[in-house]
Amino acid sequence: VQLQASGGGLVQAGDSLRLPCVAYGRSVSSHAIGWFRQAPGKEREFVAVISWDGDSTIYADSVKGRFTITRDNAKSTVYLQMNSLKFEDTAVYYCAAARYDPRRVNLRNAARYDVWGQGTLVTVSS
């Protein structure tokens, strides 16, 4: 299976973006999908994760209330809706698939994921 993230771009602070993550090849409908980001000079950090059935979502405190993760298994796509973007949201955003259930396993840890997309750059101007 391959994951492809897209939808990044240059926006102004306060704007919105929606990042789709599409799975190709084998289905990931039984996988949790997470979003991570990496800003220049910083380590990769957890953003959000959604369970295979969409019933459970977990967010980093820094994006809670502004970002929403959803999934459409029929389209093999997970979305990260980002509202009220801030300068500090500037980063390359990656989606990843994990075989674990976030209700049972801590999926804030990037090591839990076994398939990664190539990343999409989001730049927020202040």
Side-chain angles (χ1 to χ4, degrees), residues 3 14 16 22 34 36 44-46 50 52 67 70 74 77 81 85-87 95-96 114:
L3 300 178
S16 298
V22 182
F36 288 76
R44 188 172 300 189
E45 66 172 355
F46 168 79
I50 187 166
W52 69 272
F67 290 13
T70 58
T77 302
Q81 177 67 43
L85 282 163
K86 303 177 180 180
F87 174 76
C95 59
D114 46 21

Side-chain angles (χ1 to χ4, degrees), residues 55-102:
D55 284 350
S56 177
T57 57
I58 300 171
Y59 298 92
D61 288 344
S62 58
V63 305
K64 199 173 295 183
R66 300 188 298 121
F67 290 13
T68 303
I69 186 170
T70 58
R71 68 188 297 160
D72 184 340
N73 284 338
K75 295 182 178 179
S76 298
T77 302
V78 171
Y79 302 95
L80 184 68
Q81 177 67 43
M82 306 186 297
N83 298 330
S84 303
L85 282 163
K86 303 177 180 180
F87 174 76
E88 50 265 40
D89 294 320
T90 295
V92 177
Y93 284 72
Y94 300 88
C95 59
R99 305 178 193 183
Y100 303 101
D101 189 329

